[in-house]
Amino acid sequence: MRKTILMAVLAFVALTARAQDVVCHRGYWDTEGSAQNSIRSLVKADSIGAWGTEFDVWMTADGVLVVNHDATFQGITIETANWRQLKNLHLDNGEPLPTLEKMLNRAKTLKIKLVLELKPHTSKDLEREAVAKIVAMVKKMGLEERMEYITFSFSGMKELKEKAPAGTPVYYLNGDLSPFQLSEYDVAGIDYSIRVMREHPQWIDEAHSLGMKVNVWTVNSDRDMEWCIHYGVDYITTNAPEKLQQMLGDNP
Ligand code: MG
């Protein structure tokens, strides 16, 4: 009898507790043979059973979508370069600099959620074009259900909301707007730095009360992980996904 009650309580806790999920920041790169924003980091993130993997996207002057964090790669500014100037360059782990097309093609064979960061381009027109190309490619690949979009760009956020299929989660990264201020744009939630969130811990409950989710980056120390777990952050973006999984008691 006592065991039955215990089981019922545990089931209730499992049903009511807010899930807390691990997002690999720029893929799972801090591991053998991997590199930031590489195909390998995508595959590694999937292999450990992380909920999602984040990666950064730029568009070249000739309209090729490239996965890279910085505006430049090996001294070449992606936004003003043509793809032929970049296509023979390699990441630290020896992989060619990946295009989004190549990344998504590999993702099709995996299960992990894809958190695509649209980088802020120098003009709204370029961002608009990048968003149109991203959304069309994702549709063509049949990956719409697995996509989430994030961006520091306020105009990019609105563009993603408009062009991605209804219900696609779009998060704002810039940390300058409260959940209440963002709520009129119908975004899925806030995706703010741990520094911003420690300054505004009340934004977590505020977001939840508005039906929004909270993602926090880049959460690497034990102390920051514990803070996010304690405050009920929904998605925790980290460079140390296996440590976080252990802390959350995840058994992938
Ligand atoms: Mg990013």
Side-chain angles (χ1 to χ4, degrees), residues 168-194:
T168 304
V170 176
Y171 289 78
Y172 183 57
L173 291 166
N174 206 33
D176 56 331
L177 296 172
S178 71
F180 180 74
Q181 287 172 309
L182 267 181
S183 59
E184 70 173 286
Y185 302 100
D186 194 29
V187 291
I190 54 173
D191 188 352
Y192 288 172
S193 74
I194 184 71

Side-chain angles (χ1 to χ4, degrees), residues 25-26 54-56 69 117 119 150:
H25 179 240
R26 305 180 196 169
E54 185 263 0
F55 51 93
D56 307 287
H69 179 264
E117 180 178 345
K119 283 296 180 187
I150 62 175

Side-chain angles (χ1 to χ4, degrees), residues 50-65:
W51 175 87
T53 190
E54 185 263 0
F55 51 93
D56 307 287
V57 173
W58 291 94
M59 186 178 66
T60 62
D62 54 348
V64 176
L65 297 163

